[in-house]
Amino acid sequence: MESTLQGRLRNTDLPYAKGLMPLYEAVVNSIQSIEDLAKLEDQAIDSYHIDVFINRSNQADFELDKNSKAEKRVVGFTVIDEGPGFDDGNWTSFNKLDSLHKEDKGCRGIGRLLWLKAFDHVLVDSTFRADGLIERRRFRFDAQSEVSSIEDPSVVDAPVKTKIELCRFREKYARATPKSLEHIALGLLEHCLWYFVRKEGVPTIRLHDGEHDKDLFDLYDEYMHTSSSTENFQIKGRAFEITHVKIRATKKQAHILGYCAAGRLVKEENLTGKIQGLFPNISDDDGEFVYAAYLTGSYLDDKVTGQRTGFNIEDDAPEMYADEVISYSDIRSEVLPRVEVFLADSLQGNIAAGRKKLDTFVSEVAPKYRPLLSHIGADRLCIDPNIADKDLDLLLHREVSRVEQELLTQGHDIMDPKPGESEAEYRTRLEHYLQTAADLKQSDLANYVMHRRVVIDLLRSAINKKQDGKFSREDLIHELIVPMRITSDDTEFKRQNLWLVDERLAFHHYLASDKPLSSNPTTSNDTGKEPDITSLRIFDNPLLVGDQQNQQASLTVVEIKRPMRNDFKAGESEEKDPVLQSLGYLRRLRQGAATRDGRPIPNADRIPGFIYIIADFTAHLEDCCRLHQLKRTADGLGFFGYHPDEVYNAYIQVISFDGLVTSATERNRAFFDELGLPAK
């Protein structure tokens, strides 16, 4: 041979996942060989046959296929065709690595190199016509000996036929290759699909796997959704042809643009998401399908790489040669609009379904996005109707972030008219900026209201009986209202939802959750008692605005009990009587009450105290409420009263969990109604 075979093999790339490429190349070679014979004999190409045999190990060494089915190990393939065979012309060409013998078909001799990348050696047995006789040529092809004849050509009495046997599948390729007849047949059909949809047709191709056979024409009939459609166009003076194909949907397929060269599928490009409405699921009146476009043209034949695994085509043409060099960008700009026209009805159906999904999601799940939809382009809101709510939420969040970023950029220049900008144009730009800013604020408010609705729903769920028949521990509900063992100085405090109890608790000077009184900077009491929530609120006296020293203050204690707890005993002890327990906390807080900077609070023993006890009403809890002379509220969901003793000076409210949920819902109902959120 005129080139170094082993050197060429080292420079030939074949990924392990493409271990069937040598088989595909052998079959395509057979197709092209039969094309020549069909033209010579003036016969229909589908009257000729190609047989592919899957050779498996005789030993019981099974491997799992992609569908987890055990299959015997594939050790090689045999391809038999009725083409002209290895006559003297083809024999000479085969012995020359860079032969131009089939240059008109785009053949560059790479196929036989791929054979030896994935297989140890190849055996060839070919009968062919020579001077009116049938001769036979047999030889071996491997990397070490290159081409070695098994026997000299001899005259035989046999039909014209060529057998290519790919032997000893290399382990790394074999392991990464589908093993079942169905997977191998489907892969071969997908690779050769262009031949099946083109007008010239394809020979009959059958796969044989022991006792099982698969005819690719039968598989093609199952595979095809509708007949193909072809159109021609030009890019910068070069002719191209695109074939539109609808294929029956399978779970592994994607919509693709296939770039073909010399009748071979060389490169696939995923079209999903590159055309509005072309999502993984698409259908027409006949059902779901997968779309494939096959692009051919002499330009692609010229630009295919030596290994036929890609093209020497740039993504974008250099500006200097933009008028003559064709780039992938140029190809897409011509192909994608044609795909949109071909799939127009199906795409519009997907777009409409996606918009309905978006409107429903925003209306029922995430109303915070509604004010901002008008600021997001329709093309960016073209969504897959089957998108999960989580993914849709993430998509909308990214779009809102983009709107915020654009608004921030505009804000730096909004006060300065642009050069040449008229007063009307400036006013329009300013109004758009202000409207976007207002809509963002409205979205923030909607987000906060939505957060409140979620918290109420979580609380409602937490107080219900669980599947095991038990109720949640009080610490779970405690964490929902305010995180445990923190103060208002801690970062985690931002997770608090004290508005569930009382909106006024948001305006506190210092708040501690489940902390010993000895660690509270607002009191000098050194006890280790741990009330659930304590709060000191200090605010300016509105009647004495000018007197900075005149401050009003109040102390708040919130105590949370486990749902349906029923071991209370009125007046027995602080551990058994929650009202007595809370009064004890309040008394200790008053001892040495001070601001956070250590300044004493005047009349600390007489400032108002507020006690909230959250618990389910049981007979024992009601006994506690009556002992302390508390009155039932009008809605029947709580008790309320005032302890006049100067040691306590406390307003006491006992709230049932149902009452807490009901009260929080009613206080926020107007906001929920405004956002279209049903209040349960």
Side-chain angles (χ1 to χ4, degrees):
M1 303 183 90
E2 296 182 5
S3 299
T4 304
L5 178 59
Q6 293 187 8
R8 287 291 302 274
L9 284 174
R10 282 194 298 270
N11 296 326
T12 299
D13 180 49
L14 181 65
Y16 294 131
K18 293 186 176 291
L20 289 179
M21 277 296 293
L23 172 64
Y24 300 161
E25 287 287 332
V27 173
V28 170
N29 285 341
S30 294
I31 293 174
Q32 294 185 337
S33 179
I34 289 175
E35 278 182 325
D36 295 337
L37 183 61
K39 291 177 183 177
L40 183 64
E41 297 182 348
D42 195 22
Q43 296 290 326
I45 193 171
D46 59 3
S47 64
Y48 297 88
H49 297 80
I50 299 174
D51 290 284
V52 178
F53 295 85
I54 302 173
N55 304 325
R56 298 185 183 273
S57 172
N58 292 325
Q59 300 176 3
D61 47 351
F62 289 88
E63 296 178 332
L64 290 179
D65 190 42
K66 288 185 176 181
N67 58 0
S68 298
K69 178 183 177 183
E71 298 279 359
K72 277 193 174 183
R73 188 164 58 90
V74 176
V75 297
F77 299 93
T78 300
V79 179
I80 300 176
D81 68 59
E82 301 173 315
F86 278 81
D87 56 22
D88 289 345
N90 288 331
W91 171 248
T92 301
S93 173
F94 188 87
N95 279 274
K96 187 176 182 181
L97 279 178
D98 299 303
S99 171
L100 303 180
H101 183 57
K102 293 186 178 181
E103 185 183 26
D104 60 325
K105 293 181 177 290
C107 299
R108 303 185 181 186
I110 189 63
R112 70 195 104 157
L113 296 178
L114 297 183
W115 292 351
L116 296 186
K117 288 293 289 188
F119 296 88
D120 177 75
H121 64 275
V122 180
L123 298 178
V124 179
D125 186 349
S126 177
T127 53
F128 54 91
R129 298 184 184 277
D131 299 326
L133 301 174
I134 303 296
E135 293 190 6
R136 183 182 190 185
R137 174 175 275 125
R138 299 172 64 201
F139 61 92
R140 175 189 172 108
F141 179 48
D142 59 51
Q144 291 73 35
S145 303
E146 300 186 357
V147 178
S148 55
S149 296
I150 295 178
E151 60 183 32
D152 294 331
S154 58
V155 175
V156 295
D157 182 13
V160 173
K161 186 177 295 186
T162 296
K163 179 170 73 172
I164 306 291
E165 188 173 354
L166 308 176
C167 304
R168 295 186 188 175
F169 208 178
R170 300 189 190 279
E171 184 177 359
K172 290 183 178 180
Y173 288 100
R175 286 188 174 182
T177 297
K179 295 164 182 62
S180 70
L181 172 63
E182 291 75 14
H183 278 105
I184 295 173
L186 186 57
L188 180 58
L189 176 63
E190 289 178 347
H191 186 83
C192 299
L193 186 60
W194 160 243
Y195 289 101
F196 284 82
V197 300
R198 65 176 186 167
K199 56 181 178 294
E200 293 90 346
V202 67
T204 299
I205 303 175
R206 293 192 183 94
L207 273 77
H208 308 274
D209 186 13
E211 298 178 354
H212 303 285
D213 298 332
K214 183 73 70 172
D215 190 316
L216 287 199
F217 272 120
D218 294 337
L219 186 59
Y220 173 75
D221 290 338
E222 298 173 11
Y223 196 66
M224 288 299 293
H225 183 80
T226 56
S227 59
S228 60
S229 174
T230 302
E231 62 177 304
N232 297 288
F233 61 95
Q234 288 194 344
I235 303 177
K236 298 179 182 178
R238 299 295 296 265
F240 290 84
E241 182 177 87
I242 183 173
T243 301
H244 305 280
V245 182
K246 291 182 180 180
I247 307 164
R248 294 190 189 277
T250 65
K251 60 182 179 181
K252 73 166 188 173
Q253 289 175 293
H255 309 294
I256 59 107
L257 167 60
Y259 296 82
C260 303
R264 289 169 166 85
L265 176 61
V266 175
K267 170 185 168 68
E268 289 185 357
E269 182 176 303
N270 195 332
L271 292 179
T272 303
K274 295 182 179 179
I275 297 175
Q276 285 195 31
L278 187 57
F279 304 120
N281 294 324
I282 189 169
S283 61
D284 58 16
D285 294 339
D286 296 322
E288 289 193 1
F289 64 88
V290 173
Y291 172 78
Y294 292 96
L295 188 66
T296 60
S298 60
Y299 185 80
L300 297 178
D301 294 340
D302 295 341
K303 292 294 182 178
V304 69
T305 62
Q307 288 81 13
R308 283 201 291 272
T309 57
F311 294 90
N312 294 314
I313 298 177
E314 299 185 54
D315 288 333
D316 294 290
E319 186 175 351
M320 183 180 301
Y321 304 104
D323 293 336
E324 52 189 88
V325 174
I326 299 175
S327 65
Y328 280 122
S329 179
D330 296 324
I331 293 173
R332 294 187 195 103
S333 66
E334 288 290 336
V335 169
L336 297 188
R338 288 173 165 78
V339 175
E340 289 188 68
V341 172
F342 179 76
L343 298 175
D345 293 340
S346 299
L347 296 178
Q348 289 304 315
N350 263 359
I351 292 172
R355 185 67 202 197
K356 183 178 179 180
K357 166 75 175 183
L358 174 66
D359 292 342
T360 301
F361 176 77
V362 171
S363 175
E364 299 179 0
V365 180
K368 63 182 179 181
Y369 295 118
R370 184 182 298 142
L372 296 171
L373 291 183
S374 62
H375 300 282
I376 304 173
D379 58 323
R380 306 183 74 91
L381 292 177
C382 182
I383 63 166
D384 185 347
N386 296 304
I387 190 173
D389 284 357
K390 173 185 175 182
D391 295 328
L392 179 53
D393 199 4
L394 291 173
L395 182 150
L396 291 172
H397 180 75
R398 287 194 297 269
E399 290 301 322
V400 169
S401 299
R402 186 182 57 82
V403 171
E404 291 176 335
Q405 184 68 33
E406 291 177 355
L407 186 71
L408 181 63
T409 302
Q410 295 170 12
H412 289 285
D413 305 319
I414 195 63
M415 300 307 296
D416 300 319
K418 296 180 179 180
E421 186 177 40
S422 67
E423 181 180 350
E425 291 171 335
Y426 173 71
R427 186 182 299 112
T428 299
R429 182 162 62 90
L430 179 61
E431 289 175 353
H432 178 267
Y433 173 82
L434 295 175
Q435 183 62 53
T436 303
D439 289 341
L440 277 171
K441 292 301 180 184
Q442 186 177 351
S443 175
D444 291 341
L445 176 59
N447 192 29
Y448 181 66
V449 172
M450 186 67 188
H451 165 76
R452 286 196 166 198
R453 170 57 192 278
V454 170
V455 169
I456 291 175
D457 287 345
L458 288 173
L459 178 60
R460 180 182 289 108
S461 175
I463 64 177
N464 289 331
K465 186 182 294 186
K466 297 184 293 183
Q467 290 182 350
D468 60 5
K470 298 180 181 179
F471 289 89
S472 300
R473 293 172 53 86
E474 58 264 37
D475 54 359
L476 185 149
I477 299 172
H478 193 306
E479 285 286 342
L480 187 60
I481 296 175
V482 63
M484 298 177 68
R485 297 175 180 83
I486 66 165
T487 72
S488 48
D489 292 335
D490 296 321
T491 303
E492 295 92 336
F493 184 76
K494 294 180 180 179
R495 292 194 286 116
Q496 60 89 7
N497 296 293
L498 288 166
W499 53 268
L500 286 165
V501 180
D502 190 329
E503 298 284 354
R504 293 173 297 178
L505 289 176
F507 304 99
H508 62 272
H509 185 61
Y510 180 83
L511 184 142
S513 170
D514 204 44
K515 288 276 191 177
L517 292 177
S518 58
S519 66
N520 193 321
T522 66
T523 179
S524 60
N525 190 284
D526 59 0
T527 181
K529 296 287 186 178
E530 297 183 5
D532 282 343
I533 303 171
T534 58
S535 173
L536 171 67
R537 292 197 301 125
I538 301 177
F539 49 91
D540 291 336
N541 187 335
L543 300 179
L544 298 171
V545 178
D547 188 355
Q548 297 296 322
Q549 299 301 317
N550 191 339
Q551 293 180 313
Q552 290 185 342
S554 67
L555 294 168
T556 302
V557 173
V558 180
E559 190 65 19
I560 303 169
K561 300 301 181 184
R562 175 172 52 84
M564 298 308 297
R565 177 175 171 179
N566 197 28
D567 62 346
F568 302 120
K569 292 184 180 180
E572 179 175 305
S573 65
E574 289 191 8
E575 285 70 24
K576 293 295 184 180
D577 187 334
V579 179
L580 195 61
Q581 181 186 35
S582 299
L583 288 170
Y585 289 145
L586 181 61
R587 185 184 70 253
R588 297 180 185 94
L589 279 171
R590 290 188 184 281
Q591 298 173 2
T595 63
R596 292 175 63 184
D597 58 7
R599 301 297 300 168
I601 299 176
N603 302 315
D605 57 336
R606 291 193 293 274
I607 62 177
F610 295 90
I611 291 175
Y612 298 91
I613 300 170
I614 305 169
D616 273 324
F617 285 166
T618 63
H620 294 300
L621 180 59
E622 292 186 10
D623 289 343
C624 296
C625 293
R626 293 189 182 95
L627 177 66
H628 295 283
Q629 300 181 8
L630 305 181
K631 304 297 183 182
R632 188 181 291 273
T633 58
D635 59 11
L637 298 176
F639 282 83
F640 181 80
Y642 173 70
H643 201 302
D645 192 296
E646 62 181 13
V647 176
Y648 300 110
N649 186 22
Y651 297 90
I652 305 170
Q653 189 170 357
V654 183
I655 310 169
S656 70
F657 285 111
D658 290 331
L660 185 66
V661 171
T662 300
S663 174
T665 301
E666 291 302 318
R667 282 186 276 111
N668 291 275
R669 183 179 294 277
F671 297 109
F672 296 160
D673 291 345
E674 181 66 24
L675 290 180
L677 297 173
K680 297 180 181 178

